[in-house]
Amino acid sequence: MIFCFILLNTFLLIGFLAIRDATSINQLKKEVNELTKLSIVKDRYNRPIKTKGGYAIVESSIKDYLDDYAVSVQEVSELIHDPKLSRILSYDNYLEDGPDFQNSLAYLSESKETFNQEIDELLSDLEEEQIMENIYQRTDDPYYISLYEELMFDGDMTDELKESKEMFTNMKERVNGIYDSSLNVLNFLITYNDSWKLEDGQIKFETQELCDYYDTLISQVQTKKDE
């Protein structure tokens, strides 16, 4: 009787643990699925932890990684949508900072350097080694490490990360093109600072050749913005 009682309790315990694990996995996968519906460019991922134990470690690892990444993405977005960048080639800025454009050149150089540092960090954080390092720092349990890897690199989540990598690679090229072509315009104006003037809300050149070349440089900036 005692042996049967112990055996019954053992089966009940195993069954309880199996059901609890199955419930926790389903809850975790459901929560991760909800995360894939958020936008990394405008949302935060620091939502309450829904699971417990080792599953909570996996859940918090995923949410912390995505939230840190989202914050970095949004900081980069603010940088490239800085109103100062959009008006750097405006008549008002020419009037304010020309003809030597010292402030504008310094701004573009510093902003470009900051942007490249941040975008390179974003791209580095999307590497598989960096993503896995996030769980290695929290647990050495092979089961939970494997579960984290499965959730991060299978299904919708891995598609999201892949799309992010492609987007930021293209963004790096496009935004650097905007910085470089804007610098080209300002350097042109500095070189020929005695051959243009500001009048009636427009920039006017002494020769049509200079005007045409200026328009070409401006069109290169616009092309990069439109890409």
Side-chain angles (χ1 to χ4, degrees):
M1 291 290 291
I2 294 175
F3 174 76
C4 290
F5 181 74
I6 293 174
L7 190 61
L8 178 61
N9 281 343
T10 300
F11 282 131
L12 289 175
L13 179 60
I14 292 173
F16 169 75
L17 293 176
I19 292 173
R20 187 188 66 178
D21 280 356
T23 301
S24 295
I25 291 175
N26 287 335
Q27 190 173 27
L28 177 58
K29 289 183 176 180
K30 180 180 178 180
E31 187 66 11
V32 170
N33 184 58
E34 290 299 312
L35 296 179
T36 62
K37 298 176 183 178
L38 301 178
S39 170
I40 205 164
V41 297
K42 64 180 181 180
D43 294 321
R44 295 289 303 272
Y45 294 78
N46 52 343
R47 296 155 57 113
I49 302 301
K50 302 292 182 67
T51 55
K52 297 180 180 180
Y55 296 100
I57 293 175
V58 175
E59 183 183 352
S60 63
S61 296
I62 293 173
K63 288 180 175 178
D64 288 348
Y65 168 80
L66 291 175
D67 193 61
D68 289 344
Y69 196 76
V71 170
S72 297
V73 168
Q74 290 158 28
E75 288 175 353
V76 170
S77 180
E78 289 179 4
L79 185 64
I80 63 178
H81 292 99
D82 183 358
K84 190 171 182 179
L85 178 61
S86 63
R87 66 181 293 272
I88 203 77
L89 301 180
S90 67
Y91 178 87
D92 289 340
N93 189 58
Y94 290 174
L95 193 63
E96 178 183 330
D97 197 33
D100 56 4
F101 297 104
Q102 290 184 2
N103 294 328
S104 298
L105 291 175
Y107 165 77
L108 286 174
S109 296
E110 292 169 7
S111 184
K112 179 183 177 182
E113 182 179 359
T114 300
F115 167 77
N116 279 291
Q117 288 175 348
E118 294 187 2
I119 201 76
D120 285 342
E121 287 179 8
L122 285 177
L123 289 169
S124 176
D125 288 342
L126 283 172
E127 295 298 327
E128 184 173 342
E129 296 80 5
Q130 288 295 107
I131 295 174
M132 290 304 299
E133 187 63 29
N134 193 48
I135 189 68
Y136 293 148
Q137 294 176 354
R138 300 167 187 250
T139 182
D140 58 1
D141 189 309
Y143 172 74
Y144 294 115
I145 291 174
S146 177
L147 181 58
Y148 171 87
E149 184 175 17
E150 174 189 341
L151 293 171
M152 289 300 291
F153 296 106
D154 287 343
D156 293 338
M157 186 65 73
T158 190
D159 292 339
E160 183 95 5
L161 295 175
K162 183 179 179 181
E163 289 174 5
S164 294
K165 189 170 185 178
E166 291 176 355
M167 179 181 70
F168 293 126
T169 299
N170 294 332
M171 179 189 292
K172 180 179 180 179
E173 181 179 353
R174 182 178 67 86
V175 174
N176 272 293
I178 293 173
Y179 284 128
D180 292 340
S181 54
S182 297
L183 284 167
N184 287 340
V185 173
L186 295 183
N187 285 323
F188 166 77
L189 293 177
I190 293 170
T191 301
Y192 295 95
N193 60 19
D194 59 347
S195 300
W196 58 271
K197 61 181 179 179
L198 301 173
E199 189 175 86
D200 301 327
Q202 295 180 337
I203 182 170
K204 298 182 179 180
F205 293 88
E206 287 186 354
T207 68
Q208 187 61 42
E209 183 181 7
L210 289 174
C211 183
D212 291 343
Y213 191 72
Y214 172 80
D215 289 341
T216 298
L217 293 176
I218 291 294
S219 68
Q220 290 174 357
V221 178
Q222 192 58 49
T223 299
K224 291 297 180 181
K225 288 182 179 180
D226 294 339
E227 286 181 354

